[in-house]
Amino acid sequence: MAWASKLLFIFFLSIFTIDPISSYKQHPLDPLSPEELNLTQTIVKDSFPSSNNTTLTFHYVGLDEPDKPVLLSWLSKPTNKPPPRALAITRFNKQTHEFIIDLANRSIISNHVYAGYGYPTLGIDEQTEAMQLPLKYDPFIGSIRKRGLNLSAIVCSSFTVGWFGRARNRRVVKLQCFHMNDTVNLYLLPIEGIQIIVDLEEMKIVEYNDSFKVPVPNSEGTDYRLSKQKPPFGPRINRAAIMQPDGPGFHIDGHTIRWMNWVFHLSFDARVGPMISLASIYDSEKHKYRSVLYRGHISELFGPYQDPTEEYYFNTFFDCGEFGFGLSAASLVPLADCPNNAVFMDGYYAGQNGIPVKVSNVFCIFERHAGDIMWRHTEFDIPDVSITEARPEVSLVVRMVATIGNYDHILDWEFKPSGSINIQVGLSGILEVKAATYTHSDQIKEDVYGTLLAENTIGLYHDHFLTYRLDVDIDGVDNSFIKHNLITKTVTDNSTARKSYWTVVSETAKTESEAKIRLGLKPAELVIVNPNKKTRPGNSYGYRLMPGPEAHSLLLEDDYPQIRGAFTKYNVWVTPYNKSEKWAGGRYVDQSHGQDTLAVWSLRNREIDNKDIVLWYVIGIHHVPCQEDFPVMPTLSSGFELRPTNFFERSAVLKVIPPKPVIWPNYNASP
Amino acid sequence: MAWASKLLFIFFLSIFTIDPISSYKQHPLDPLSPEELNLTQTIVKDSFPSSNNTTLTFHYVGLDEPDKPVLLSWLSKPTNKPPPRALAITRFNKQTHEFIIDLANRSIISNHVYAGYGYPTLGIDEQTEAMQLPLKYDPFIGSIRKRGLNLSAIVCSSFTVGWFGRARNRRVVKLQCFHMNDTVNLYLLPIEGIQIIVDLEEMKIVEYNDSFKVPVPNSEGTDYRLSKQKPPFGPRINRAAIMQPDGPGFHIDGHTIRWMNWVFHLSFDARVGPMISLASIYDSEKHKYRSVLYRGHISELFGPYQDPTEEYYFNTFFDCGEFGFGLSAASLVPLADCPNNAVFMDGYYAGQNGIPVKVSNVFCIFERHAGDIMWRHTEFDIPDVSITEARPEVSLVVRMVATIGNYDHILDWEFKPSGSINIQVGLSGILEVKAATYTHSDQIKEDVYGTLLAENTIGLYHDHFLTYRLDVDIDGVDNSFIKHNLITKTVTDNSTARKSYWTVVSETAKTESEAKIRLGLKPAELVIVNPNKKTRPGNSYGYRLMPGPEAHSLLLEDDYPQIRGAFTKYNVWVTPYNKSEKWAGGRYVDQSHGQDTLAVWSLRNREIDNKDIVLWYVIGIHHVPCQEDFPVMPTLSSGFELRPTNFFERSAVLKVIPPKPVIWPNYNASP
């Protein structure tokens, strides 16, 4: 389509962008540069009376994503001035301000005060400050002494409080403290019974309660650092490296990545981390790039824990909106988080004071050579000839890791030359546990809401619901969502020896309600099509959603956390594009009342047939902890695939050129 | 457990096995060597009157798998004479004979004539011979002439006829012929309307019928050979190779493979291909190998097509039992089917005359370095320290490809140091299509039971049900199957701010009926445990079944193909170990009546609690063909995982020793 080809032109323009402020030279979807972040901070700061600027905090600074029609028209005529760049969400005098700023003209386009329920993403600095408060708080010091613990080994961590039917009119967090005592694995050493609530804007402890005493679990064997391990060691991994004599097959220009038949834009966002935009694939028959995904990113992660007791009931987190996946991004470790052939990119977000913070190696990009087979066939049936044709699979992976406290979320976007996009999530890190007096499960006579992982240590039941927003543009903006239902037909007329078979009965979802799907209930192929464009045999261009294992929320619909996370009732949703509908849990999720969620938007039951539609997919994992998850859990993965289905006239990889073998001289095996 | 450690001793014995006949030096699960196959052939042949030996055909020759108690006791006292080795299934004078042969004594232990329904696996030679018959058959030659086709471009392929309520008392196949005409992709060029039935034992055409005429589709663009491709070519794959300065991390001794903390036995079987036996993992805390999987292999592949018409209704194949996965194994292509660091093994099966046939490179074994993360954590919460620990994932893959006519089935067994076993299946190759007069879907007003993929070419709807037999031995022989059901609890007493949560309500399957599970209907964790052994905190040693996407058969239960494939009604089955229950579709599947299937066995509803149990898992894929599957389909994968769950006291990979980086001098980039 038009913009895809124009796009390349833009990409070329953007390669040598040097002055990030003269944004008309930038790609309009590029993340804000450090200079732009600084400029935004200055402009916002100057808009307030300098006297009490002290109370000004920045909670989100990033791209004010242009409305899609605006962006598409700009891409088709890039000579115009691009749309304004910056969105800043700040707190000032206990009010939430939304600024939209034209950086080119250094002017504020709008400054809107948000008065509804819910608060913006927590700042890192305020949480760090809050986590220090107990250490100077006499009642807490008393509680620690009472327990015979060592104050210098105490580390506290901040948790959002959620909403349970009673509005608190202040931004608060709960603190959970841990006794680290010769380990760095704090999360496995909770100090039970102490309840601390901190008002972040007063920056003081406003509630404190030490109810009872359960011993802190033994820290033995909890440390995960290599340097702290004692024999017997685990198995050794032999050295291995990917050698690519011709270098990698991809090229990165600014934020645009080209690889084999793919081109897409990759940007970093403080709230959700990686955003994939304008992903298009080159069709060698049509001699052009064809659009697949206008914009794709994780939208929200709902993580409800299943311990209803006073100490843990509130653990129902919305990691993207409350803590920020980008703010929580880890610097990736070469050779461990990413293979030796990976290329790394840095990211920048605005600190709580608005000043840019750099995250080195926030993304890695690498070609995966996993030893899989792209396609193959051996022909046995033709007499006197032997034919085997096979092609090795290769894919391009974009990775980021978001570490929210104890959990590490590995976010992979994998592109394949066949046209498939795999979206994978890996969970690692450390379980949330609670301390208990139990040392053996035989002692347990009641529901403890978790698994006894070790002495005095219960790994709590919980869920991970990762909701992806996928603004698909299957070779054009207007698409439809089709359920190809597989229906059993009964043969009654003896016209054949068969008594039954299944066939496809297709159903186009006309409105949002027809596209809410809980997987596993009835067999169907779910396809996003462009109803306006057909292949030569007359099939609508399409991409199929290939789900992974299914899980949906098991909470009651009227339970408060579920009201806020109602978008986890189904696995699949489809909505018409709407600039304001990006965050499945709402823009202001901290203490939200669930009025601004995907589930609420879609109650309008808008038309989605042959419209610019957005596909939402919920990866769900019910997590019953097991001892192998202790002290650090081996990666648990899930995901889904977008697979071309009558998008191409035929296989896009039939004519792929296989690589020549790599030959290298002997090398020193022990450097 | 005992045998695991003894095992190692045996493995050492078996390393230098030279004389394959003196089988006491062999591992009793080793596949029959060429010498053993020859010896079996001689012994069987000599048992029949030499006069009419011409009618003697071999349909299966392989290991007569010792009954498990016998094998385990032998492994614990390997000095005794091992059990007899050979099972031969032959046809002689239209009778099916089952021989059990003691190769050491060159004696026949039993020769049993099977008189029930169903026939043994088809021979390759007889099919090849049958496929030639039409070319010398006048009516067929006339039919070809009538269609104006070129006889020299005709290739016929053989298809099993199934059973549809009427017993045929002869071994027959149907032939489908194709017009290859300047391509090797015969399957896309069917000649419709000709029905040919060949009696394999008379070796003649016994039914012939040319009903109507539909043009053979255009062959343009169907050839998949690189040498035949014309521009525009697809994208180029950059060269890449895995370099392992220390060599691979695994060791192969005979049929025993040791890698990191794993040891297992790999053998080749003519019927099902790869068989994994005695898989044990070393527990560095307990300082011993612990059993996980006594024996695992694919048991049957049921592939019903969904076109009920006279020409296609019978396409309801049982690939393992009818055609043999081992007999259909492809020689793997280095650098395409397997990466450069792969090691290959050969396999041998008995041809129809009983003489051994070698399949070179039937297996490949390689370490997968896919760039994944084994585990990681970044610690942000501890003031003034920065901690990131991450380990790169590595796994060991065992691969075989079975090509049954048009389809290529990629069978992967993947072992991870964490204790996980991933069983993956990849589907590639060529679709089964039928020719039609349609050139555009607008012309289609009726159900054509498939997708119009190209002019005159309909890709037929079908299913793939791959049923795996997994004789699990979770640290011992006696195991139980537990459903940890996730149940929503409602809070009514205001004891907490939550209104609901879910918890685990465990249910041990006492009998077979309680273990039949259709996935997706209710949330549960499915775990095989050893109820007799517990971890320190008191959890039963276990391995969890982690299913992939779910699909089950949609055919009516009383439909003939479904009666034969009734084991595809559920995804999970558990049965008590029984030597005779290996083949989910029955031992004699060709024209079977479904009396000897997993579904029938389990009707006895035997006890499975704390017994030696076998887990059966059905990987299901409903396949609605799309144009991308044409002319060769990009690999479509599915699978499942066996994951340790309270099997270890803690993560088995916490103390894994990460590899040192690989450093090599500059090398010539263009050899």
Side-chain angles (χ1 to χ4, degrees):
Chain A
M1 62 177 287
W3 64 254
S5 43
K6 295 278 183 187
L7 212 50
L8 291 176
F9 169 65
I10 307 311
F11 289 148
F12 279 104
L13 272 187
S14 64
I15 295 172
F16 302 109
T17 303
I18 32 167
D19 170 11
I21 303 307
S22 48
S23 43
Y24 63 92
K25 284 207 200 112
Q26 274 180 319
H27 191 287
L29 292 177
D30 283 352
L32 266 57
S33 67
E35 295 78 358
E36 290 180 305
L37 292 170
N38 275 319
L39 180 60
T40 305
Q41 191 250 12
T42 309
I43 293 169
V44 169
K45 224 167 146 197
D46 294 353
S47 76
F48 289 107
S50 55
S51 59
N52 47 12
N53 249 338
T54 49
T55 73
L56 173 65
T57 53
F58 291 78
H59 296 266
Y60 177 84
V61 182
L63 181 71
D64 174 50
E65 186 173 325
D67 198 17
K68 189 168 172 181
V70 174
L71 182 71
L72 292 182
S73 84
W74 185 88
L75 288 171
S76 65
K77 236 204 255 97
T79 47
N80 304 354
K81 193 166 138 316
R85 295 272 299 152
L87 166 67
I89 295 172
T90 67
R91 291 282 294 177
F92 182 76
N93 290 346
K94 303 192 175 177
Q95 284 190 316
T96 300
H97 291 256
E98 295 173 358
F99 291 86
I100 294 177
I101 297 162
D102 181 339
L103 292 173
N105 299 338
R106 301 168 175 251
S107 64
I108 293 173
I109 290 172
S110 69
N111 172 0
H112 162 70
V113 172
Y114 172 75
Y117 288 115
Y119 298 109
T121 306
L122 302 181
I124 290 175
D125 302 347
E126 62 187 359
Q127 292 180 78
T128 307
E129 202 177 338
M131 285 149 55
Q132 303 303 315
L133 295 177
L135 304 179
K136 301 183 210 65
Y137 186 71
D138 291 337
F140 180 80
I141 295 168
S143 300
I144 295 306
R145 198 168 289 128
K146 188 175 71 186
R147 286 169 171 75
L149 302 176
N150 169 5
L151 194 65
S152 68
I154 300 295
V155 169
C156 302
S157 184
S158 62
F159 296 78
T160 47
V161 296
W163 170 68
F164 292 86
R166 175 177 67 88
R168 310 168 181 264
N169 296 315
R170 56 205 328 187
R171 291 181 57 238
V172 299
V173 290
K174 288 198 181 193
L175 299 184
Q176 168 73 59
C177 299
F178 306 90
H179 188 249
M180 291 211 305
N181 190 22
D182 75 31
T183 177
V184 293
N185 199 335
L186 55 137
Y187 306 104
L188 296 180
L189 304 168
I191 303 166
E192 297 294 336
I194 299 178
Q195 212 183 104
I196 311 170
I197 295 183
V198 172
D199 182 315
L200 291 173
E201 272 148 0
E202 305 287 337
M203 195 46 72
K204 65 166 198 245
I205 293 172
V206 292
E207 280 179 50
Y208 184 86
N209 173 9
D210 185 353
S211 52
F212 65 90
K213 179 161 177 277
V214 172
V216 174
N218 186 330
S219 66
E220 192 200 339
T222 60
D223 205 317
Y224 49 85
R225 288 171 297 179
L226 185 61
S227 57
K228 300 294 180 183
Q229 302 309 315
K230 300 185 197 64
F233 290 105
R236 186 175 60 89
I237 302 175
N238 272 18
R239 291 183 296 165
I242 306 250
M243 183 193 299
Q244 297 182 287
D246 314 313
F250 58 90
H251 304 280
I252 305 179
D253 307 322
H255 293 272
T256 300
I257 299 174
R258 288 185 199 74
W259 174 74
M260 292 187 76
N261 43 4
W262 280 101
V263 59
F264 60 91
H265 181 276
L266 169 65
S267 65
F268 172 79
D269 178 72
R271 178 165 180 146
V272 297
M275 297 184 115
I276 303 290
S277 306
L278 300 167
S280 300
I281 187 163
Y282 189 78
D283 185 323
S284 56
E285 285 197 15
K286 295 189 167 57
H287 307 290
K288 64 176 187 179
Y289 279 87
R290 300 170 60 199
S291 65
V292 176
L293 186 65
Y294 172 75
R295 198 123 161 107
H297 55 84
I298 188 169
S299 173
E300 191 52 87
L301 194 174
F302 178 42
Y305 281 73
Q306 304 300 332
D307 181 340
T309 60
E310 184 56 27
E311 295 68 38
Y312 287 93
Y313 76 88
F314 61 90
N315 284 8
T316 53
F317 306 116
F318 293 79
D319 285 346
C320 294
E322 292 176 340
F323 299 100
F325 257 30
L327 294 178
S328 309
S331 289
L332 298 171
V333 181
L335 305 184
D337 282 323
C338 311
N340 69 292
N341 61 327
V343 168
F344 295 84
M345 285 173 67
D346 300 333
Y348 298 87
Y349 63 81
Q352 203 172 301
N353 56 9
I355 304 297
V357 175
K358 175 180 177 176
V359 187
S360 311
N361 294 1
V362 72
F363 294 143
C364 73
I365 299 111
F366 62 93
E367 285 177 302
R368 167 175 280 151
H369 294 273
D372 293 328
I373 301 173
M374 179 186 277
W375 61 263
R376 82 173 317 286
H377 183 59
T378 296
E379 188 48 65
F380 285 124
D381 280 358
I382 305 173
D384 315 319
V385 300
S386 100
I387 297 166
T388 293
E389 292 275 335
R391 305 287 179 267
E393 184 63 281
V394 58
S395 60
L396 186 75
V397 177
V398 174
R399 174 171 297 162
M400 192 194 92
V401 171
T403 302
I404 315 284
N406 54 313
Y407 257 114
D408 297 59
H409 307 84
I410 302 157
L411 306 178
D412 282 358
W413 285 80
E414 182 183 30
F415 296 82
K416 294 186 169 193
S418 62
S420 283
I421 303 176
N422 282 321
I423 291 131
Q424 292 288 320
V425 170
L427 301 175
S428 190
I430 296 150
L431 290 170
E432 183 172 329
V433 306
K434 77 169 170 183
T437 52
Y438 305 111
T439 56
H440 194 281
S441 54
D442 290 349
Q443 304 156 349
I444 302 176
K445 306 295 176 212
E446 58 184 352
D447 192 341
V448 295
Y449 317 111
T451 308
L452 190 67
L453 301 173
E455 284 196 357
N456 309 123
T457 308
I458 291 170
L460 297 173
Y461 302 143
H462 59 284
D463 301 306
H464 306 263
F465 297 112
L466 298 100
T467 301
Y468 278 79
R469 178 178 181 270
L470 303 159
D471 184 345
V472 284
D473 278 1
I474 305 305
D475 206 346
V477 170
D478 290 339
N479 290 174
S480 298
F481 180 71
I482 297 186
K483 292 176 277 185
H484 291 302
N485 300 302
L486 276 44
I487 304 294
T488 300
K489 295 282 186 180
T490 305
V491 181
T492 48
D493 59 3
N494 299 318
S495 57
T496 146
R498 284 278 280 272
K499 292 181 177 178
S500 65
Y501 62 95
W502 60 257
T503 193
V504 171
V505 178
S506 300
E507 186 187 351
T508 300
K510 298 289 181 193
T511 65
E512 291 174 285
S513 64
E514 294 172 27
K516 295 175 185 175
I517 292 169
R518 182 172 293 175
L519 296 167
L521 299 184
K522 54 188 224 178
E525 301 226 324
L526 307 175
V527 189
I528 303 280
V529 301
N530 183 327
N532 313 301
K533 296 183 181 176
K534 293 192 176 347
T535 59
R536 284 196 288 275
N539 301 305
S540 295
Y541 295 165
Y543 255 73
R544 195 152 103 241
L545 170 66
M546 308 202 57
E550 181 274 345
H552 58 271
S553 179
L554 302 177
L555 298 179
L556 296 182
E557 274 186 61
D558 68 343
D559 198 358
Y560 299 108
Q562 188 59 30
I563 290 169
R564 303 171 67 212
F567 49 92
T568 58
K569 181 182 174 185
Y570 299 101
N571 304 95
V572 177
W573 307 68
V574 177
T575 60
Y577 169 84
N578 180 323
K579 180 189 173 176
S580 72
E581 297 177 5
K582 278 174 74 175
W583 317 123
R587 174 177 273 194
Y588 299 102
V589 189
D590 177 35
Q591 297 187 47
S592 70
H593 295 198
Q595 297 146 316
D596 175 30
T597 72
L598 169 56
V600 170
W601 311 330
S602 61
L603 284 177
R604 279 172 280 168
N605 201 22
R606 295 159 290 185
E607 297 197 344
I608 55 172
D609 183 19
N610 203 6
K611 297 263 188 292
D612 182 6
I613 56 177
V614 176
L615 172 68
W616 304 77
Y617 184 83
V618 180
I619 296 173
I621 299 171
H622 299 304
H623 195 163
V624 176
C626 63
Q627 288 179 245
E628 286 78 2
D629 297 339
F630 179 99
V632 180
M633 62 182 285
T635 304
L636 181 70
S637 295
S638 191
F640 62 101
E641 177 182 356
L642 297 173
R643 190 176 175 101
T645 298
N646 305 314
F647 182 82
F648 295 106
E649 292 293 339
R650 58 188 55 210
S651 167
V653 287
L654 171 67
K655 298 181 176 185
V656 79
I657 314 252
K660 287 207 233 69
V662 174
I663 297 158
W664 65 86
N666 294 342
Y667 52 84
N668 179 2
S670 49
Chain B
M1 62 177 287
W3 63 256
S5 42
K6 293 279 181 189
L7 211 53
L8 292 174
F9 169 66
I10 307 312
F11 290 149
F12 278 104
L13 272 187
S14 65
I15 294 171
F16 302 108
T17 303
I18 31 165
D19 171 12
I21 304 305
S22 48
S23 43
Y24 63 91
K25 285 208 202 111
Q26 272 181 321
H27 193 288
L29 291 178
D30 284 350
L32 266 56
S33 66
E35 296 77 1
E36 290 180 305
L37 292 169
N38 275 318
L39 180 60
T40 306
Q41 191 250 13
T42 309
I43 293 169
V44 169
K45 220 166 149 198
D46 295 350
S47 75
F48 289 108
S50 57
S51 57
N52 46 12
N53 250 339
T54 49
T55 73
L56 173 65
T57 52
F58 290 79
H59 295 268
Y60 177 83
V61 181
L63 181 70
D64 174 50
E65 185 174 326
D67 198 16
K68 189 169 174 181
V70 175
L71 183 70
L72 292 182
S73 83
W74 187 87
L75 288 171
S76 65
K77 238 202 253 93
T79 46
N80 305 352
K81 196 166 138 314
R85 296 270 303 151
L87 166 67
I89 294 172
T90 67
R91 290 284 292 177
F92 182 76
N93 290 349
K94 304 193 174 178
Q95 285 190 313
T96 300
H97 291 256
E98 295 173 359
F99 291 87
I100 293 176
I101 297 162
D102 182 338
L103 292 173
N105 300 338
R106 300 168 177 254
S107 64
I108 293 173
I109 290 172
S110 69
N111 171 1
H112 163 71
V113 172
Y114 172 76
Y117 289 115
Y119 298 109
T121 305
L122 302 181
I124 289 173
D125 303 347
E126 63 187 357
Q127 292 180 78
T128 307
E129 202 178 338
M131 284 150 54
Q132 302 305 312
L133 293 176
L135 305 177
K136 301 182 207 63
Y137 186 72
D138 289 340
F140 180 79
I141 296 169
S143 300
I144 295 307
R145 199 169 286 129
K146 187 175 72 186
R147 287 168 169 76
L149 302 176
N150 170 5
L151 194 65
S152 68
I154 300 297
V155 168
C156 302
S157 183
S158 62
F159 296 79
T160 46
V161 296
W163 169 68
F164 293 87
R166 176 176 68 87
R168 309 168 181 264
N169 296 316
R170 55 203 335 187
R171 291 180 59 238
V172 298
V173 290
K174 289 198 181 193
L175 299 184
Q176 167 73 58
C177 299
F178 306 90
H179 188 250
M180 292 210 308
N181 191 20
D182 75 32
T183 178
V184 292
N185 198 335
L186 52 138
Y187 306 103
L188 295 180
L189 304 167
I191 303 167
E192 296 294 337
I194 299 178
Q195 209 180 107
I196 310 170
I197 294 185
V198 172
D199 182 315
L200 291 172
E201 273 147 0
E202 306 285 335
M203 197 45 73
K204 65 169 201 243
I205 294 173
V206 292
E207 277 180 52
Y208 185 86
N209 172 9
D210 185 353
S211 53
F212 64 88
K213 180 159 175 283
V214 173
V216 175
N218 185 331
S219 67
E220 192 199 339
T222 60
D223 205 317
Y224 49 86
R225 289 171 295 180
L226 185 61
S227 58
K228 300 295 179 182
Q229 302 310 315
K230 301 185 198 65
F233 290 105
R236 186 174 61 87
I237 302 174
N238 271 19
R239 290 183 297 164
I242 306 250
M243 185 195 298
Q244 296 181 288
D246 314 313
F250 57 89
H251 305 281
I252 305 178
D253 307 322
H255 293 273
T256 300
I257 299 175
R258 287 185 200 73
W259 174 74
M260 293 184 76
N261 42 4
W262 281 101
V263 59
F264 60 90
H265 181 276
L266 170 65
S267 65
F268 172 79
D269 178 73
R271 179 164 179 148
V272 297
M275 296 184 117
I276 303 290
S277 306
L278 301 167
S280 300
I281 186 163
Y282 189 78
D283 185 322
S284 56
E285 285 197 17
K286 295 188 167 57
H287 307 291
K288 63 175 188 178
Y289 278 88
R290 300 170 62 200
S291 64
V292 176
L293 186 65
Y294 172 76
R295 199 122 161 108
H297 55 84
I298 187 168
S299 174
E300 191 51 89
L301 193 174
F302 178 42
Y305 282 72
Q306 305 299 335
D307 180 341
T309 60
E310 185 56 26
E311 295 68 38
Y312 287 93
Y313 75 89
F314 62 90
N315 284 8
T316 54
F317 306 116
F318 293 79
D319 285 346
C320 294
E322 291 176 341
F323 299 100
F325 258 29
L327 295 178
S328 310
S331 289
L332 298 171
V333 182
L335 305 184
D337 282 323
C338 310
N340 68 291
N341 61 328
V343 167
F344 294 84
M345 285 174 68
D346 300 333
Y348 298 88
Y349 63 81
Q352 204 173 302
N353 55 9
I355 304 296
V357 176
K358 176 180 179 177
V359 186
S360 311
N361 294 1
V362 71
F363 295 142
C364 72
I365 298 111
F366 62 92
E367 287 177 301
R368 168 176 281 153
H369 295 273
D372 294 328
I373 300 173
M374 178 186 278
W375 61 264
R376 82 173 317 286
H377 182 60
T378 296
E379 188 47 66
F380 284 125
D381 279 357
I382 304 173
D384 314 321
V385 300
S386 100
I387 297 165
T388 292
E389 291 277 334
R391 305 287 179 268
E393 183 63 282
V394 58
S395 60
L396 187 74
V397 177
V398 173
R399 174 171 296 162
M400 193 194 91
V401 171
T403 301
I404 315 283
N406 53 313
Y407 256 113
D408 297 59
H409 307 84
I410 302 158
L411 306 179
D412 281 359
W413 285 80
E414 181 183 30
F415 297 83
K416 294 186 170 192
S418 63
S420 282
I421 303 177
N422 282 320
I423 291 133
Q424 291 288 320
V425 170
L427 301 175
S428 189
I430 296 149
L431 289 170
E432 183 172 330
V433 307
K434 76 171 173 182
T437 52
Y438 305 111
T439 55
H440 193 282
S441 53
D442 290 349
Q443 302 155 352
I444 302 176
K445 305 293 175 214
E446 57 185 350
D447 192 342
V448 295
Y449 318 110
T451 308
L452 190 66
L453 300 173
E455 284 198 357
N456 309 122
T457 308
I458 290 170
L460 297 174
Y461 302 143
H462 60 283
D463 300 307
H464 306 264
F465 296 113
L466 299 100
T467 302
Y468 278 79
R469 178 178 181 271
L470 303 160
D471 184 345
V472 284
D473 278 2
I474 304 305
D475 205 347
V477 170
D478 290 340
N479 291 173
S480 297
F481 180 70
I482 297 187
K483 292 176 278 183
H484 291 302
N485 299 302
L486 276 45
I487 304 294
T488 299
K489 296 282 186 180
T490 304
V491 180
T492 49
D493 60 4
N494 300 318
S495 57
T496 148
R498 286 276 281 271
K499 293 182 177 178
S500 64
Y501 62 96
W502 59 257
T503 193
V504 170
V505 178
S506 299
E507 186 187 350
T508 301
K510 298 289 180 195
T511 64
E512 290 175 284
S513 64
E514 294 172 28
K516 296 175 185 175
I517 293 169
R518 182 173 292 174
L519 296 168
L521 299 185
K522 56 187 222 177
E525 300 225 325
L526 307 176
V527 189
I528 302 280
V529 301
N530 183 326
N532 313 300
K533 297 183 180 177
K534 293 194 177 343
T535 59
R536 284 196 288 276
N539 301 304
S540 295
Y541 295 166
Y543 255 74
R544 194 152 102 242
L545 170 65
M546 309 203 57
E550 182 275 343
H552 58 270
S553 180
L554 302 178
L555 298 179
L556 296 183
E557 276 186 58
D558 68 342
D559 198 359
Y560 299 108
Q562 188 59 31
I563 290 169
R564 302 171 68 213
F567 49 93
T568 59
K569 180 183 175 186
Y570 298 100
N571 304 96
V572 178
W573 307 69
V574 177
T575 60
Y577 169 84
N578 180 322
K579 181 189 173 178
S580 71
E581 297 177 4
K582 279 173 74 175
W583 317 122
R587 175 178 272 193
Y588 299 103
V589 188
D590 177 35
Q591 297 187 46
S592 70
H593 294 197
Q595 296 144 315
D596 175 30
T597 72
L598 169 56
V600 171
W601 310 329
S602 61
L603 285 177
R604 279 172 279 166
N605 200 22
R606 294 160 291 187
E607 298 197 342
I608 54 172
D609 183 18
N610 203 6
K611 298 260 186 293
D612 182 7
I613 55 178
V614 176
L615 172 68
W616 305 76
Y617 184 84
V618 180
I619 297 173
I621 300 171
H622 299 302
H623 195 163
V624 176
C626 62
Q627 289 178 244
E628 285 78 3
D629 297 339
F630 179 101
V632 179
M633 64 182 284
T635 304
L636 181 70
S637 295
S638 190
F640 62 101
E641 177 182 356
L642 297 174
R643 190 177 175 101
T645 298
N646 305 315
F647 182 81
F648 295 106
E649 292 292 340
R650 56 189 54 213
S651 167
V653 287
L654 171 66
K655 298 180 175 186
V656 79
I657 315 256
K660 289 208 232 72
V662 174
I663 296 155
W664 63 87
N666 294 342
Y667 52 85
N668 178 3
S670 49

